[in-house]
Structures are given as structure tokens and as C-alpha cells.
Amino acid sequence: MRRVYLDHNATTPLAREVVEAMMPYLTEEYGNASSIHSVGQRARAGVEQARAQVAALIGAREKDVIFTSGGTEADNLAIRGAVGASAKSAKHVITSTIEHHAVLNTCQALEAEGVRVTYVSVNRAGVVDPEDVRRALTPDTVLITIMQANNELGSVQPIAEIARLARAHKVAFHTDAVQSAGKLPIRVEELGVDLLSLSAHKIYGPKGVGALYIRRGTRLKPLMFGGHHERDRRPGTENVAGIVGFGKAAELARLHLEEEAKRLAALRDELERRLLARIPHTGLNGDPARRTPNTTNLYFDFIEGEPLVIALDLKGIACSTGAACSSGAVEPSHVLTAIGLPPERARASLRFSFGRANTAADVDYVVEVLPGVVEHLRELSPLYKKPAPATAD
Ligand SMILES: *Cc1c(COP(=O)(O)O)cnc(C)c1O
């Protein structure tokens, strides 16, 4: 059976070059990067080369990048760290309703500790209006955290504009760039952000490694206590092989960004065009413009997303329902609800996210398989009335 993986926003396979770069550090180069002997110093060199590669992907200085255990830890460290470092007695944080749970649940934990949080809403395209952020600012605001690109819709936020607001009001600004890295060009100076989170496994690197960019002068309270690793920001013996793999993945992402963005957008647009032409009661969630090049989110009315994912899996196609990180949960996606979809439509939605190995033949296969699967599931739905035959493209 043909296998078509269209869930790259959940995770990506390791690039072959990444595996090759990691191999020595999983075998003979086992040193502790803090040791002063040569075994340790070779591990240190691997970590520092990776830091340069990750910094280059986002236009940062090497010393402003620290490694973490992933995007989730980077988000936690940025948010809790910035709030914890503020000397204000009453504290207020501004975020959005479409953030990843790594941000949303961190903000909720802060609320339980007495921090006030404003969740700014988004429009139907899944985009935050900077005016709403400005209106939410108070003298107590210590942090604004808004993601650069959404994982479910791909919608891209006006980060530079929000960062200008934050700076004008002397408020720290964090962005979760886990879904934009490798898909959109990122220059931290142009964006004007103070803190920016990355994750290796969304860009063909290993799972369990991430990074946080920390602009010089940004005050941050550490989450954990231990040794003096990572400029005293994040203690713990470095995951050398993982970090080296992340570095290689960042380098590949930077080198291929432009051509790959064009190629993936063309495949994605072709899939959308052909599916929408063939399947009635189906449409695009969010806005076709201003989104990451690899992502599409479509609704198939009268169907539940989970059975559809399972039926497609049986045909070799991997994709996901709106809420990628909560398989098993019945709640409709908070992102699709936030853009105003009724719960039934949010539950009838699928995300297809393209990546490096996908080809035009993958699009052909999905277009061949999906209409029949949708039709079959709809025939089982009591709400569905068979329409007149749709025109083929
Ligand atoms: C995947 C993801 C994360 C979490 O990163 P991990 O490395 O899996 O912890 C955070 N934010 C966004 C937008 C993501 O897509």
C-alpha cells in the first residue's frame, strides 16, 4: 500500500543528513560538553557549532540562543521566566486564544498563581489584530506572548507590529516560532522580539530538543536549578547528539527554505483545488492568504474528523484532526472554535501538512482516495442527504 505522510506539523522524520551528523555523538564522541579534557571539548565543539547553525536560521547572535528539551520547555521558560523576573506586584500577561497548549496551559497555570491573563481573540482567518493587543495593555502588563504561525491553520500573525507595541510600552514580547521556523524567513532583529521558541522535531531534527532565543538584556528567571550550563539559563548536561542534530536540521532548513516553501505551497494548493472541486459540502478553514506554505485545514460537513482520520490511515494516508496534540479527546479544536466555526464543523475538520518527502503523486493518491471515503462516511450519517453529482476537475 502507498504511504502518504501529511502530518508534518505534528512531527517530521529525521533528515538523513541529521542522522549522519548525530551518529558520532551517539557512539565514540560521548564526552560531557562541560569536561575540560579533549573528549569533553569535542562534545563542546559539536554543541557550539549547532548553536551557530540554529542562530543563523533566525538571524540571532550565537550567545543569545540556549538549548532546551523542546518547544514546550522553551515556551514555559520564556513565559514563566519573564513573568517571574518582573518586580511588579500585580502582573498581567497578554496572549491569544489560538496558542499551542504549551503556551495556553502555562498561562493558565500562572492564572492559578494570581497572574491576570488576557486571551485576545482572532478573526475568521485566525489572525490577531494588533489593535486588540494594544487595547489589552495595562500598567501591570509584563509579557505579551503571541505565536508566529498557528499549527492548525498555518495563519501567520503580525509579529513585528505587536513587537513594536510591546517595546513602546516596555513590555517583554515572546513568540512561539515552532511552526514558522523553516517555513518563513525569520530575522529576530527585524521582528523585534525579546524571546522566541524553536523545536527541532518540527524541522526534521530529533524529538526532545528545542531552543529559546533570548535578546540581550531580557530578564528571565530560570525554571530549574543545577549547574551553570547554557549561560545559567538552563541547567543540565547537554543532550549533545540531539543538539548536533538540531543544528544540522536548522542548517538544512535555512538552505532549502525558499525553494521548499514554493514547492510545498504548489502541492498544497493543488490538493485543495482538486478536493474542493470534487467533494460537496467541503471548504477551507481560515484564509488562503497569509499562512504557512505547507498547511491546509479543510472541513467535510456531516462527518466526524476522528473516524475520517482512521479511515484514511487504513488507506495509508496520515493526517490529523484539528487538535493534533489531543488524540482521544472529543473536544473540538480550540483554534477552530476561536475562528468562529460551530462545534460540528470544527469536529468535521482535517489538517493536511506537507513536508520534504511529499510529491505530486501523493496529491494524486489523496485525491483518488479521499472523495470515496468521505462519501462512504457520509452515507452512514443520519444528517446527510445525497446531493446531485459534483463536477469533476
Ligand atoms: C509542536 C509545537 C510545540 C511543542 O514543541 P515540542 O518540541 O513538541 O515540545 C509548541 N508550539 C507549537 C506551535 C508547536 O507546533
Side-chain angles (χ1 to χ4, degrees):
M1 184 172 56
R2 196 182 172 90
R3 300 233 154 251
V4 177
Y5 184 76
L6 289 172
D7 203 12
H8 292 82
N9 287 9
T11 196
T12 57
L14 286 179
R16 184 183 40 77
E17 297 92 326
V18 168
V19 178
E20 281 165 14
M22 289 172 75
M23 266 326 261
Y25 298 91
L26 293 166
T27 52
E28 68 267 23
E29 297 294 0
Y30 48 79
N32 182 323
S34 299
S35 301
I36 56 177
H37 47 62
S38 53
V39 189
Q41 288 313 295
R42 286 197 299 276
R44 169 58 53 199
V47 169
E48 295 314 316
Q49 190 194 350
R51 201 185 307 280
Q53 289 165 318
V54 171
L57 179 63
I58 58 171
R61 303 189 311 170
E62 288 161 39
K63 53 174 130 170
D64 294 342
V65 172
I66 63 152
F67 291 109
T68 67
S69 67
T72 299
E73 188 193 331
D75 285 342
N76 273 265
L77 176 57
I79 296 167
R80 296 199 81 104
V83 171
S86 162
K88 287 186 181 172
S89 52
K91 296 177 191 180
H92 173 238
V93 172
I94 301 172
T95 187
S96 83
T97 51
I98 60 161
E99 298 299 309
H100 189 272
H101 284 116
V103 168
L104 278 184
N105 290 345
T106 302
C107 288
Q108 275 172 24
L110 286 173
E111 280 187 287
E113 293 164 22
V115 174
R116 206 163 68 76
V117 179
T118 301
Y119 299 86
V120 170
S121 58
V122 295
N123 63 15
R124 294 199 68 88
V127 178
V128 170
D129 181 350
E131 247 333 277
D132 290 338
V133 176
R134 197 183 56 73
R135 273 194 288 270
L137 281 162
T138 75
D140 294 335
T141 308
V142 293
L143 174 73
I144 302 172
T145 172
I146 308 268
M147 71 199 322
Q148 187 171 24
N150 181 264
N151 40 307
E152 294 188 35
L153 295 166
S155 57
V156 178
Q157 309 304 321
I159 293 304
E161 254 182 281
I162 300 170
R164 274 197 294 278
L165 267 174
R167 191 164 289 181
H169 290 82
K170 296 193 166 50
V171 171
F173 182 51
H174 166 247
T175 192
D176 175 334
V178 170
Q179 287 292 341
S180 47
K183 296 172 190 154
L184 310 172
I186 300 178
R187 314 312 296 162
V188 286
E189 291 302 331
E190 285 165 34
L191 283 178
V193 297
D194 300 310
L195 299 153
L196 179 144
S197 303
L198 298 171
S199 174
H201 78 96
K202 303 287 173 76
I203 61 164
Y204 308 89
K207 292 163 183 63
V209 195
L212 182 64
Y213 159 76
I214 307 170
R215 174 184 299 283
R216 58 191 166 280
T218 306
R219 294 181 52 231
L220 212 65
K221 190 176 159 206
L223 283 184
M224 297 192 288
F225 298 88
H228 297 287
H229 310 84
E230 299 297 294
R231 308 180 75 83
D232 275 339
R233 305 286 208 185
R234 202 280 183 175
T237 303
E238 294 86 348
N239 170 6
V240 177
I243 288 170
V244 166
F246 186 11
K248 187 46 127 182
E251 181 183 273
L252 294 171
R254 183 170 58 84
L255 293 176
H256 300 304
L257 195 143
E258 230 175 293
E259 62 183 80
E260 194 57 3
K262 277 204 205 93
R263 193 183 74 85
L264 295 183
L267 289 177
R268 187 264 320 264
D269 294 349
E270 176 73 3
L271 178 74
E272 263 172 14
R273 188 183 65 73
R274 289 166 67 186
L275 289 180
L276 296 184
R278 266 163 212 236
I279 309 178
H281 309 293
T282 292
L284 177 69
N285 294 321
D287 195 285
R290 257 186 84 145
R291 54 181 169 154
T292 44
N294 77 320
T295 307
T296 182
N297 197 307
L298 303 173
Y299 65 84
F300 302 90
D301 282 346
F302 312 113
I303 297 185
E304 291 285 327
E306 309 266 325
L308 185 50
V309 166
I310 293 164
L312 289 173
D313 188 40
L314 293 174
K315 303 273 189 189
I317 299 168
C319 62
S320 70
T321 57
C325 301
S326 56
S327 358
V330 280
E331 292 283 292
S333 144
H334 69 282
V335 175
L336 298 182
T337 308
I339 63 169
L341 295 197
E344 319 79 70
R345 183 165 280 178
R347 274 200 292 267
S349 296
L350 288 194
R351 175 187 72 188
F352 300 95
S353 47
F354 286 80
R356 219 170 266 165
N358 290 132
T359 62
D362 292 341
V363 172
D364 292 343
Y365 183 65
V366 177
V367 172
E368 187 187 307
V369 167
L370 186 57
V373 173
V374 167
E375 179 61 24
H376 175 71
L377 289 174
R378 280 180 177 166
E379 277 163 6
L380 303 173
S381 163
L383 299 171
Y384 180 62
K385 292 194 184 53
K386 201 174 163 66
T391 46
D393 62 338

